[in-house]
Amino acid sequence: MNLDDLAMFQAVIRQGGVTSAAKSLHRVQSSVTTRIRQLEESLGVALFLREGRRLKLSPAGRVLEGYAARLLDLAAEARNALTLGLPRGPLRLGSMESTAATRLPPVLAAFHQRCHEVRLELHTGPTARLVRLTREGALDCALVAGPVLEPDLEAVPVFSEELVLVASAGHPPIRRGADLQTRTALVFEAGCSYRQRLEGWLASQGLVPERFVELASYHAMLGCAACGMGVALVPRSLVDRLPAGDSLSAHPLPHPFGRSETVLVRRRNVTAPAVDALLALLLEPPAQGA
């Protein structure tokens, strides 16, 4: 059993099959299939139950899954220790889309200058998915909406966001649910923390959305809000930066719905110099005039 075999085993689990795993690893499918079979032969157990073209983890595979993650993490920690703490290699960073659009550009520019031997991979998505991928080891760290209370993860606050309801420019002030002219909620997919906060505020007003319109980008979300299709809950920093102009109105919400902490989550007790370097930059005071 070697680390390459474990990495392939882990990739098959994450990608849901050999074909997708081979693509993610830039290997041919037959190579991955052969290595998985050799791993099963060396251990003397079946790691997957083969149901037609689908693979399902066997009981033995579920046991090995936990050990594989720990062994690969330990190997990465050893490599990092041997480089005397100098950041290098890949850094798989997850981020909410709003954070990637408004907060990360200057940070990543500075990170690239300081840590030019790090190969940064940025993945955006909703908080719930990013937390899961970090916990599973598919991401080294992620910027998500807090709080994150998971024993396997540590969370460090890095940004504080004011959240506002956005509606069309002509919408009257929104101070309570009765002020809404539409009960259509413009949201990201389930698992988005801002969507959960919007639902929470509506519930506190005794309201249930008449319809959810799931969108894939903030540009689409703000455009739909500007047209009067519905309302959305977004960071004020995003409204200030995107070219929405006079077509939108922003309405503050009361505590606790109107404030959100963005945290960097990482796995506990895993040494990662690249993550340490990124966190140090995130915690630096902003440059004067920035």
Side-chain angles (χ1 to χ4, degrees):
M1 184 167 53
N2 61 47
L3 294 177
D4 283 344
D5 291 341
L6 294 178
M8 289 189 185
F9 170 68
Q10 208 173 52
V12 172
I13 297 172
R14 288 177 183 158
Q15 300 297 328
V18 172
T19 301
S20 298
K23 290 181 180 178
S24 70
L25 296 170
H26 306 291
R27 302 284 189 100
V28 295
Q29 181 177 340
S30 59
S31 172
V32 176
T33 300
T34 299
R35 296 292 287 272
I36 293 297
R37 286 177 177 168
Q38 289 175 344
L39 179 60
E40 290 178 319
E41 290 172 1
S42 69
L43 295 172
V45 294
L47 300 174
F48 294 97
L49 303 176
R50 293 164 175 82
E51 301 175 350
R53 294 186 177 182
R54 298 181 57 189
L55 293 179
K56 181 181 178 182
L57 271 178
S58 69
R62 285 195 292 271
V63 173
L64 181 61
E65 182 183 14
Y67 284 105
R70 288 159 58 189
L71 288 168
L72 290 169
D73 284 345
L74 188 60
E77 184 176 340
R79 284 193 293 269
N80 289 329
L82 291 173
T83 62
L84 302 177
L86 297 176
R88 62 183 65 197
L91 172 61
R92 301 162 300 173
L93 169 64
S95 174
M96 296 182 294
E97 183 139 347
S98 59
T99 304
T102 62
R103 302 288 190 176
L104 277 184
V107 174
L108 296 185
F111 183 81
H112 179 68
Q113 289 182 336
R114 295 187 189 182
C115 307
H116 54 273
E117 293 191 22
V118 174
R119 301 189 306 277
L120 180 68
E121 302 172 11
L122 179 61
H123 306 266
T124 59
T127 286
R129 186 201 307 162
L130 296 175
V131 168
R132 174 179 59 81
L133 292 175
T134 303
R135 184 180 63 247
E136 294 174 353
L139 295 175
D140 298 304
C141 60
L143 292 163
V144 300
V148 177
L149 305 175
E150 296 210 12
D152 295 336
L153 299 175
E154 61 174 312
V156 181
V158 291
F159 302 123
S160 181
E161 297 286 1
E162 179 191 2
L163 303 180
V164 293
L165 275 176
V166 291
S168 60
H171 199 294
I174 301 173
R175 299 184 180 89
R176 53 197 179 97
D179 297 329
L180 289 172
Q181 293 184 336
T182 173
R183 294 187 187 175
T184 295
L186 308 173
V187 295
F188 282 124
E189 64 185 89
C192 171
S193 61
Y194 297 161
R195 173 177 178 163
Q196 293 169 354
R197 283 176 180 267
L198 176 56
E199 292 182 54
W201 178 74
L202 290 169
S204 75
Q205 301 294 304
L207 300 176
V208 176
E210 295 175 354
R211 185 166 61 131
F212 287 104
V213 176
E214 293 191 357
L215 299 163
S217 74
Y218 276 112
H219 285 86
M221 187 178 292
L222 296 182
C224 290
C227 293
M229 182 185 294
V231 295
L233 186 65
V234 303
R236 185 180 287 277
S237 60
L238 187 75
V239 179
D240 293 341
R241 293 201 180 203
L242 290 184
D246 299 329
S247 60
L248 286 172
S249 58
H251 309 266
L253 289 183
H255 179 80
F257 305 103
R259 182 64 60 176
S260 176
E261 295 294 325
T262 300
V263 300
L264 182 135
V265 293
R266 61 190 297 182
R267 284 165 292 161
R268 288 191 186 277
N269 304 318
V270 175
T271 301
V275 176
D276 293 338
L278 176 63
L279 180 58
L281 273 170
L282 290 166
L283 295 176
E284 280 186 5
Q288 192 170 12

